[in-house]
Amino acid sequence: MLNKFLNDELPLALLWLIIGLVAGLVYAVEILGLDGSMTLLSPERARSLHISQMLYGFFPLILSLLPFALFEKEGVLTQNGLTHLRRYFVVWNTFLLFMSLSLLFGNIRGLPFYDFPYQLNFLLAFSGLFYLLALVDALRTYDKRPLWVNVSLIAVIAAPVALVVLMNPQYGQVEQTLVGPHGDNTLGMSFALMPIYYLLIKLSSEGEFTPRRHWLWIIPLVGYSISLIIRNFFHSLSVHEEWFFQYLTLLYLPLFWTWLRDARVNFHTNPYLILSIAAFVFVDVEGNFLFIPEVRALIHRNDLVVGHAHIAMGLGVAFMALAIVYHLLPHLFRRSYALIWSGLMGLMASVLTYAGLIEAGVVSGNIDLFLTLRAVFGGSLIVLVLKIAYDRLYFRIDSPLKLYHLSGFVSDAGGGLILILAGGWLFPYLGFHFSGTYEYVVFAFMIGTGMIHWYGIHTHSQFMGSLSATIRLIVSATFAALYMASMLDNIALLVALYDGAFAFVFWLVLREKQ
């Protein structure tokens, strides 16, 4: 059941991933000199959208399926639970839409990782209600709940509270870690990944898996709790205190070794999981090494080592999610894709690190060359994701009406997206007036009409054709009236002719063929 659920939800999830990657590519090109000031993807907005989609888009959505994959493995997943899970996806996808548009229109908090408006956290918390209902549905089938089920339940109950409290602009932990190495925050983020890795290893294990050596994660948890108390109730942590908490993450390395050996999980079992753990180990060791101030000064001129961050997120966290997709849909996310993805992220991190050495004055070289290579590798990763999306979305255009719907989807949904992002530049370039207000509503309407055509490709083609053609005729008449009343300029005439022509093609030609 869960593989069908994921297969249905995957296209929209991949869209968020593609949007995030494209925003990162735009930011990389803007660093090289591209002027994005006349578009919604200015450098600060592109960077914010890229980071926010990586943290809240495709990867957390897929990771949220992990407990339910285990439920299915143990034979306790029900259709009612999937219904709640589908509602959870609806609300989370709604959050991603609101978040993306908020960032594009400049509602940015200026935070390194949690840049979207704080109020949207309540939408995330609302989605957690349906996730909890889906979880409870499976819990009813257990006479005695296993440890991993209790861990999942605690995490789901605590997550909404953590969102509202830790991200609060006045007293949240996020606001207090904007500068400095923040080693205690690194410890907290690393610990948050350990229950997920535990469940992933349990999902991938061939037989029964019983974790051992709990003290290797208990000590870091106690350390993080102490750091929160010191930072929030006594004083800001000194560098030496943060250093101590940072180095507690090294205890996770022998824990991973024990878990993988006991579960008999290897590269053949799940390549994405093994590569994710390898990336975590690399980032853990490198991050602790770079915490030494003298070493950090040699690598980069500030506390942010960009190559380090790309390995952590682009391989470590990303492959945690892809390990679940590989388990459910191995024909889409193949082993070869895992190796290609890893190679591209490794190359990207390498050129960024070398660019940091040039920036710090340690070595000489043309920094633009390495930043260009970063953009090339990022573009190659987008191509790989588009290939996966193509494999999932492939369909046959076997009738004139489906070709009509495909044309409408590409022109309206694709054109509307381009105009939302770059209408402020395109309109003056084409000789049209651009006020920057109502036009965005029109662009959003275009995307909505395009989505009607998308559904028309896959189901109820005749009905969707009638619906879109009716909407287009109403829009055409409205814009024609506004143009003839001299209330709008030539752009209104263009819209009237475009939508009218599309509607006539359906009503006069295609409708008669049915």
Side-chain angles (χ1 to χ4, degrees):
M1 292 189 295
L2 193 60
N3 58 351
K4 183 183 184 305
F5 173 88
L6 176 58
N7 191 60
D8 293 340
E9 298 290 339
L10 195 59
L12 184 54
L14 285 173
L15 175 63
W16 301 126
L17 177 57
I18 293 169
I19 288 174
L21 292 174
V22 170
L25 178 61
V26 170
Y27 177 70
V29 176
E30 286 174 332
I31 290 178
L32 294 169
L34 176 69
D35 183 10
S37 59
M38 292 296 294
T39 72
L40 294 188
L41 279 173
S42 59
E44 64 277 4
R45 297 180 187 183
R47 181 181 184 275
S48 179
L49 181 61
H50 169 63
I51 293 175
S52 298
Q53 280 291 353
M54 293 301 102
L55 291 173
Y56 291 91
F58 175 85
F59 299 118
L61 266 178
I62 301 302
L63 280 171
S64 64
L65 294 177
L66 178 54
F68 300 94
L70 282 163
F71 289 148
E72 186 172 57
K73 184 177 181 180
E74 297 188 357
V76 297
L77 184 63
T78 67
Q79 194 62 48
N80 187 53
L82 287 179
T83 299
H84 291 305
L85 193 62
R86 187 170 288 107
R87 292 167 180 159
Y88 156 77
F89 265 66
V90 168
V91 179
W92 193 291
N93 283 318
T94 302
F95 156 77
L96 291 175
L97 177 61
F98 276 68
M99 180 196 76
S100 299
L101 289 177
S102 296
L103 297 179
L104 285 173
F105 284 106
N107 196 343
I108 297 174
R109 296 173 64 190
L111 298 176
F113 301 108
Y114 312 97
D115 221 11
F116 55 86
Y118 169 71
Q119 293 84 350
L120 294 183
N121 284 296
F122 292 93
L123 195 56
L124 282 178
F126 179 55
S127 72
L129 171 64
F130 297 106
Y131 193 84
L132 181 61
L133 289 174
L135 201 63
V136 169
D137 182 81
L139 298 184
R140 295 171 179 167
T141 62
Y142 287 103
D143 295 328
K144 181 180 180 181
R145 293 201 299 260
L147 173 62
W148 73 267
V149 174
N150 292 327
V151 170
S152 300
L153 183 61
I154 293 172
V156 170
I157 295 174
V161 178
L163 279 172
V164 175
V165 174
L166 295 181
M167 297 186 188
N168 185 277
Q170 279 72 45
Y171 50 79
Q173 173 77 357
V174 173
E175 300 286 343
Q176 300 188 37
T177 57
L178 296 180
V179 296
H182 46 268
D184 63 319
N185 209 32
T186 301
L187 174 60
M189 289 187 291
S190 299
F191 176 78
L193 299 179
M194 301 312 295
I196 302 176
Y197 275 123
Y198 159 66
L199 296 180
L200 281 171
I201 292 173
K202 182 176 181 63
L203 177 66
S204 302
S205 64
E206 298 293 342
E208 185 66 25
F209 168 55
T210 303
R212 298 185 296 119
R213 298 184 180 178
H214 298 295
W215 61 273
L216 290 172
W217 61 263
I218 293 176
I219 292 177
L221 174 60
V222 172
Y224 180 58
S225 302
I226 294 173
S227 74
L228 287 178
I229 295 173
I230 295 174
R231 182 188 284 277
N232 288 285
F233 297 102
F234 293 98
H235 58 79
S236 298
L237 296 176
S238 67
V239 173
H240 290 291
E241 288 172 327
E242 291 197 35
W243 198 339
F244 170 77
F245 292 122
Q246 169 93 6
Y247 270 68
L248 290 180
T249 60
L250 292 174
L251 292 175
Y252 296 140
L253 306 189
L255 183 63
F256 276 134
W257 173 259
T258 302
W259 282 357
L260 289 174
R261 184 183 58 185
D262 291 350
R264 297 189 296 276
V265 174
N266 52 43
F267 186 84
H268 178 78
T269 307
N270 194 319
Y272 288 95
L273 176 56
I274 297 301
L275 290 170
S276 174
I277 293 176
F280 181 96
V281 171
F282 174 82
V283 168
D284 191 359
V285 174
E286 183 196 21
N288 282 286
F289 186 64
L290 293 177
F291 201 93
I292 303 172
E294 294 77 11
V295 174
R296 190 168 65 251
L298 294 175
I299 300 299
H300 206 271
R301 66 181 181 183
N302 57 36
D303 294 330
L304 301 176
V305 182
V306 284
H308 173 262
H310 279 75
I311 290 292
M313 187 62 205
L315 275 181
V317 176
F319 275 26
M320 293 173 78
L322 295 181
I324 301 172
V325 184
Y326 178 80
H327 175 79
L328 296 172
L329 302 173
H331 63 286
L332 279 179
F333 291 80
R334 309 165 190 167
R335 293 180 189 174
S336 58
Y337 292 165
L339 296 174
I340 295 172
W341 191 312
S342 300
L344 289 172
M345 292 305 304
L347 290 170
M348 188 183 301
S350 298
V351 298
L352 283 173
T353 300
Y354 198 83
L357 292 171
I358 297 174
E359 191 176 32
V362 178
V363 297
S364 59
N366 182 357
I367 194 170
D368 285 346
L369 171 62
F370 292 94
L371 294 180
T372 301
L373 288 174
R374 185 266 291 268
V376 171
F377 297 140
S380 300
L381 182 58
I382 293 175
V383 172
L384 175 62
V385 175
L386 287 173
K387 174 62 170 62
I388 296 172
Y390 174 82
D391 291 341
R392 165 59 184 85
L393 295 173
Y394 176 77
F395 51 84
R396 292 179 60 86
I397 301 298
D398 51 9
S399 71
L401 184 53
K402 284 189 176 182
L403 180 60
Y404 169 81
H405 280 304
L406 178 62
S407 302
F409 169 72
V410 173
S411 62
D412 278 60
L417 181 60
I418 292 172
L419 288 172
I420 278 184
L421 297 176
W425 173 76
L426 284 172
F427 267 47
Y429 179 78
L430 297 173
F432 299 126
H433 173 70
F434 185 81
S435 66
T437 52
Y438 83 92
E439 291 93 348
Y440 288 114
V441 178
V442 176
F443 302 156
F445 175 82
M446 288 177 59
I447 296 175
T449 305
M451 293 311 300
I452 294 177
H453 286 292
W454 173 258
Y455 291 117
I457 296 173
H458 297 89
T459 183
H460 303 298
S461 297
Q462 179 67 25
F463 172 77
M464 294 299 175
S466 299
L467 177 62
S468 64
T470 301
I471 293 173
R472 287 183 185 277
L473 276 182
I474 295 172
V475 171
S476 177
T478 302
F479 274 85
L482 291 171
Y483 172 75
M484 289 184 287
S486 300
M487 297 177 67
L488 289 177
D489 58 10
N490 291 337
I491 190 64
L493 178 61
L494 180 62
V495 172
L497 292 174
Y498 169 79
D499 279 314
F502 242 98
F504 276 131
V505 168
F506 176 79
W507 290 120
L508 301 180
V509 181
L510 295 175
R511 186 171 182 239
E512 295 180 355
K513 289 182 176 295
Q514 303 306 311

